[in-house]
Amino acid sequence: MYSMGALGMQRNSLSQSVGVGRRGSYTFGARARGCQCERDARLARGGRVLAPGDVSPKIPRAHEFPIPLASTSRVAYTYRVPFLSSSPLPEHRRLASISNTAGVLVAIVIAKTNAIDVQEPCSRTNSRRSGGSASAMFVPVLHGLNARILHAEVLLQVLNFVSVLASGLMIWKGLGLITNTESPIVVVLSGSMEPAFYRGDLLFLTNPSDQRYQTGDITVYKVPGADIPIVHRVLETHDSVSKKGMVSASPLVDKQLLLTKGDNNPIDDIDLYQGLEWLERKHIVGKVRGCAISVLVGYAPFVRANRRVHRAPFRFLPYVGYVTIAMNDFPQLKYALLGGLGLLALIQRE
Amino acid sequence: MVLLAAVSLSTFVFTADPKGDLSVSSIQVFPGNARRYANKNQDFAFVNFNLTADLTPLFNWNTKQLFLYVSAEYENKRGVRRKEDAQLSVAGRNKYAFRELSASFKNARPAHYTLKYNVMPYVGALTYGEAARTAEPVPFPERQELS
């Protein structure tokens, strides 16, 4: 929870440093619309929406205020009509490896959507600029009609949501590039590596392309034809030797064959290889470098095994691990979660 | 989150390098059948070894498990091999089948046996190390027929 608070504090300081102009920082939207209260009063009197004396919403001059579009951008934009006709924000067509990333994204999205603020209408002393200024860009084009302003706010919410998702995905993919694996953080799903790794533990992977794997390394591999990757320890390695009697350091030059076994399994993984005799480097997703456990809280109700009842330690799974496991066990939960998130982001106003 | 980062950084602070002794008392090589293909002949080596090591310096508050394994490294004519036997017997034999890729230990050069460990913390990075090594390479004997 405190991470969300940290984001919130960040946002405030950013908006304060960005805001310029008189009265602290007012929004162009507020000025152009002349505050909805006044306009409502005018409408009630039977008048037009725009009184003759009103400042009609014109294209703002660049020097009047900077309009940060993204929360991290501090560059002053000049308003251009072609904004709406230009291509929209690039939407990522799919969220890759959703079962692995969704847990991380959930945390990021919820933290950020709680921290992002939307402009408050009718407030001259509005000190939050980012939401108001962005929606102000729509107003000059959609001036005059409340319905269109409503659409603009909805559009803004969608935009924020999508940009947060996109940044989360970018962070994830960047991490994958650095570590040279397709999923740098994985969650343990089975108990075949106990007592080292339990269900719900997070593992951090790298895949150094210039080093050979050694016996004892804990690897995550994916057999072609299998759905999920497996975390097991390397039992045997076989390296081919060049004619000069040397083994090249990079496994890409000379092949390396591996055999794995889970610590808690009685036999090695031959049966899991689906026909392969040995694993090769191309099957391996990464090598486990570090781990983070789920916290032991108490004791669960009894677990029956082989007619003997014995206690099993109850694992209070961390947020990310639990979400990923639940989504793996119940795939419908994935879609329900995403749908709920989308709804939440759209409904949320303040 | 910050706490987790701090704990994981602490794994780098602990540096311990314990040493011990490892000696191989006897090796026997027997023929057998490969596990998957019952018709394929395979040589199996059974290695009896003695080892003593004091690994208490490796245990700290962040250590969840210490995984010990004896590893055999050797070459045969075609390539470098490395195998691993698990764990934790002071004087014992290899627990898992020590088999050779080319199904025969005939061409295998003498092997080095090493005791390696893997420290697995609760939170943080895994560390590996080598605790003992046979002083000289140990040759493989001839295959003994099962009587």
Side-chain angles (χ1 to χ4, degrees):
Chain A
M1 289 303 281
Y2 66 83
S3 67
M4 281 165 33
L7 271 173
M9 287 190 318
Q10 242 178 15
R11 168 188 45 84
N12 277 333
S13 63
L14 177 68
S15 58
Q16 278 166 16
S17 59
V18 153
V20 293
R22 296 162 295 184
R23 298 183 207 166
S25 56
Y26 65 77
T27 64
F28 175 65
R31 184 177 75 150
R33 299 200 314 242
C35 190
Q36 284 197 332
C37 351
E38 291 177 342
R39 200 191 295 153
D40 290 343
R42 263 201 303 274
L43 276 173
R45 285 197 301 267
R48 294 178 303 166
V49 171
L50 277 178
D54 274 354
V55 177
S56 67
K58 289 225 191 298
I59 298 173
R61 289 174 286 265
H63 67 271
E64 284 184 338
F65 47 84
I67 308 177
L69 179 60
S71 56
T72 54
S73 158
R74 295 165 127 208
V75 174
Y77 286 94
T78 56
Y79 174 77
R80 290 190 196 89
V81 173
F83 168 76
L84 282 182
S85 58
S86 64
S87 59
L89 212 69
E91 303 222 2
H92 290 265
R93 275 181 284 261
R94 64 181 179 88
L95 295 171
S97 22
I98 209 171
S99 58
N100 286 333
T101 62
V104 177
L105 289 179
V106 159
I108 295 176
V109 163
I110 289 189
K112 282 210 161 186
T113 48
N114 281 339
I116 285 176
D117 196 26
V118 184
Q119 68 154 29
E120 294 173 354
C122 233
S123 163
R124 293 288 177 98
T125 55
N126 187 0
S127 65
R128 289 172 278 249
R129 283 196 50 91
S130 48
S133 309
S135 78
M137 296 183 68
F138 295 98
V139 167
V141 182
L142 312 169
H143 67 274
L145 295 178
N146 290 340
R148 286 195 183 172
I149 291 171
L150 196 67
H151 282 186
E153 287 179 355
V154 167
L155 204 62
L156 172 70
Q157 285 286 30
V158 172
L159 203 68
N160 279 333
F161 178 64
V162 167
S163 73
V164 163
L165 275 186
S167 61
L169 188 66
M170 274 197 302
I171 291 172
W172 179 254
K173 288 299 176 186
L175 204 60
L177 271 180
I178 294 173
T179 56
N180 195 26
T181 80
E182 59 178 12
S183 51
I185 303 179
V186 295
V187 175
V188 178
L189 289 176
S190 74
S192 60
M193 280 294 284
E194 296 186 6
F197 304 132
Y198 289 91
R199 258 174 73 96
D201 288 348
L202 288 171
L203 301 176
F204 301 99
L205 306 179
T206 59
N207 190 14
S209 59
D210 58 346
Q211 290 171 22
R212 291 186 169 262
Y213 279 55
Q214 317 223 338
T215 58
D217 287 348
I218 304 174
T219 58
V220 176
Y221 63 90
K222 209 171 186 176
V223 182
D227 286 336
I228 46 170
I230 303 175
V231 180
H232 281 166
R233 196 183 291 268
V234 172
L235 199 66
E236 297 178 10
T237 66
H238 298 278
D239 306 300
S240 44
V241 171
S242 69
K243 290 199 186 113
K244 293 186 191 165
M246 294 187 288
V247 178
S248 65
S250 166
L252 301 175
V253 177
D254 291 323
K255 273 202 325 193
Q256 187 180 33
L257 305 174
L258 303 171
L259 176 68
T260 61
K261 177 189 163 298
D263 288 347
N264 214 20
N265 291 346
I267 49 176
D268 56 21
D269 289 347
I270 283 285
D271 299 326
L272 291 172
Y273 286 171
Q274 304 208 1
L276 293 176
E277 284 253 9
W278 305 94
L279 282 182
E280 296 177 27
R281 276 300 290 262
K282 60 183 182 186
H283 300 128
I284 301 207
V285 173
K287 178 165 78 164
V288 175
R289 282 312 182 97
C291 60
I293 59 153
S294 48
V295 178
L296 180 72
V297 169
Y299 285 98
F302 302 92
V303 170
R304 297 188 75 93
N306 296 334
R307 291 205 196 157
R308 265 187 333 144
V309 178
H310 58 270
R311 285 181 185 273
F314 173 75
R315 297 257 144 187
F316 176 73
L317 301 171
Y319 184 56
V320 175
Y322 179 69
V323 169
T324 309
I325 282 188
M327 288 200 290
N328 192 283
D329 290 343
F330 310 106
Q332 302 86 0
L333 203 63
K334 265 190 266 183
Y335 305 112
L337 193 68
L338 278 180
L341 265 183
L343 215 62
L344 195 73
L346 288 175
I347 291 175
Q348 197 176 19
R349 286 276 169 217
E350 302 270 333
Chain B
M1 291 286 286
V2 177
L3 178 67
L4 285 182
V7 170
S8 50
L9 282 181
S10 73
T11 59
F12 295 109
V13 173
F14 292 110
T15 52
D17 197 16
K19 288 296 176 205
D21 289 316
L22 170 68
S23 64
V24 174
S25 54
S26 70
I27 308 181
Q28 293 159 312
V29 176
F30 291 112
N33 290 333
R35 216 179 97 206
R36 178 180 267 182
Y37 307 107
N39 295 330
K40 181 179 167 191
N41 288 330
Q42 179 100 50
D43 274 352
F44 293 97
F46 296 93
V47 181
N48 293 321
F49 54 88
N50 299 320
L51 67 91
T52 52
D54 181 21
L55 299 169
T56 48
L58 292 172
F59 282 92
N60 54 66
W61 53 272
N62 199 19
T63 306
K64 185 187 347 181
Q65 175 183 275
L66 190 65
F67 187 86
L68 295 168
Y69 51 102
V70 174
S71 155
E73 306 170 0
Y74 63 99
E75 286 182 28
N76 66 9
K77 277 191 186 161
R78 276 207 338 231
V80 177
R81 316 288 180 216
R82 249 177 269 141
K83 297 202 188 278
E84 162 184 310
D85 305 322
Q87 144 194 33
L88 293 175
S89 318
V90 175
R93 318 158 57 126
N94 51 330
K95 189 172 173 188
Y96 300 109
F98 185 175
R99 61 199 171 101
E100 157 61 32
L101 178 67
S102 66
S104 160
F105 282 104
K106 217 169 19 161
N107 294 325
R109 300 180 56 92
H112 275 286
Y113 292 86
T114 52
L115 173 68
K116 296 186 185 166
Y117 59 84
N118 177 10
V119 182
M120 278 178 276
Y122 288 100
V123 177
L126 276 65
T127 48
Y128 293 86
E130 186 180 300
R133 202 174 172 87
T134 52
E136 291 160 358
V138 179
F140 290 102
E142 291 290 325
R143 179 203 297 200
Q144 294 168 298
E145 295 301 324
L146 295 167
S147 54

